[in-house]
Amino acid sequence: MPFATGAAADPVRDPVTIRVSHAGLDLTNDAGRRVLARRVESAVNRVCAPRTGGLDAFAESRRCRADMMQDATVQTAALLERDATQLASLAGR
């Protein structure tokens, strides 16, 4: 599942995309969703870590994290909705 920052809105920021695997996770329960959330947070922290010192780098890192987490929240909700729809259609068979 790729998550991308809002890089288009900021011409200074390079576009960033990360892939977070949800393979093997049962997203129909809290435990699976928590593992996915930890994977996302870890990936976001890794790609948004400040590359240099200083307040500007720290501020950019915070913006990157906020953008990535916002996008991840939207994409995760869509994934969970899709999985719930698939489960409902399988149960109806």
Side-chain angles (χ1 to χ4, degrees), residues 24-47:
L25 297 179
D26 180 358
L27 299 179
T28 63
N29 65 48
D30 288 339
R33 291 188 297 270
R34 280 193 301 270
V35 171
L36 178 61
R38 283 194 301 271
R39 288 179 184 180
V40 168
E41 186 173 0
S42 176
V44 167
N45 286 336
R46 190 173 49 254
V47 300

Side-chain angles (χ1 to χ4, degrees), residues 49-61:
R51 305 288 184 237
T52 61
L55 291 177
D56 288 341
F58 179 73
E60 178 55 30
S61 175

Side-chain angles (χ1 to χ4, degrees), residues 1 3 22 27 36 74-84:
M1 149 178 23
F3 298 103
H22 59 85
L27 299 179
L36 178 61
V74 170
Q75 290 191 39
T76 300
L79 175 67
L80 295 175
E81 184 177 314
R82 186 198 75 207
D83 284 356

